[in-house]
Amino acid sequence: MDFEQADALNQAIRLLSLRHRARAATLLAPLGLHPGQEALLLELARTGPAIQSQLSEALGCEPPSVTLMTRKLEAGGYIRREPAPSDRRASIVELTDSGKALADQVKRLWCALAEETVAGLPAETVAELPGILRTLTGNVDSRRSRRPPEDDAV
């Protein structure tokens, strides 16, 4: 791939990421949520109660970020945390009834955001996008620990 093509691809991914996150923040603000918190709510709605370390893994973020999110969501009455019976150092997190209702609102908002994002694309392309994006994410994740290519000019 030449630089122009690489630059166009990388810029498009960067701009999509930034603009999607900004649009999500705008849609989440009336619900009193910040980007990232909706992912935690949706994960709990999908899987049920989970240990914070499991949430960290599922969300792809660091444990301190999950701790901060859970504290804020707990203060809002959307989740509850209890010590895990098998390990008192670990916390089990679960949605409250208010959290379940909020997760339902987030699901509707998420559908609207997805529809905005793919507007104008053929249905076949939309159907393929999740797989393509998972592949791109996997490609980046699998290369995270690798060093960047050496500059031949050095």
Side-chain angles (χ1 to χ4, degrees):
M1 178 179 309
D2 65 19
F3 174 75
E4 287 74 25
Q5 186 179 14
D7 189 44
L9 178 62
N10 288 324
Q11 288 293 342
I13 292 169
R14 184 182 71 79
L15 288 174
L16 173 60
S17 176
L18 290 171
R19 291 184 179 153
H20 189 271
R21 183 175 174 86
R23 182 65 180 136
T26 299
L27 294 171
L28 291 167
L31 301 179
L33 295 174
H34 297 283
Q37 292 175 329
E38 85 290 348
L40 191 146
L41 288 170
L42 293 174
E43 181 65 20
L44 289 172
R46 233 185 328 270
T47 65
I51 294 174
Q52 283 188 212
S53 60
Q54 293 169 326
L55 288 170
S56 177
E57 180 71 25
L59 300 176
C61 61
E62 296 297 319
S65 297
V66 171
T67 299
L68 184 59
M69 283 190 279
T70 56
R71 283 185 185 147
K72 289 181 179 182
L73 291 170
E74 184 177 38
Y78 301 118
I79 64 165
R80 68 179 138 261
R81 295 184 298 166
E82 297 179 2
S86 59
D87 181 356
R88 299 303 241 173
R89 297 170 297 166
S91 293
I92 296 177
V93 181
E94 65 180 320
L95 291 174
T96 62
D97 289 341
S98 295
K100 290 173 187 173
L102 183 59
D104 287 341
Q105 289 181 281
V106 170
K107 287 176 185 180
R108 288 190 294 277
L109 180 148
W110 235 220
C111 289
L113 178 57
E115 288 173 8
E116 282 180 27
T117 303
V118 300
L121 292 176
E124 302 79 30
T125 302
V126 172
E128 292 176 5
L129 273 176
I132 292 168
L133 294 172
R134 277 191 298 274
T135 298
L136 294 176
T137 301
N139 289 345
V140 172
D141 283 348
S142 70
R143 288 164 178 82
R144 222 187 255 176
S145 61
R146 296 183 190 172
R147 293 173 39 108
E150 295 293 327
D151 186 353
D152 292 337
V154 178

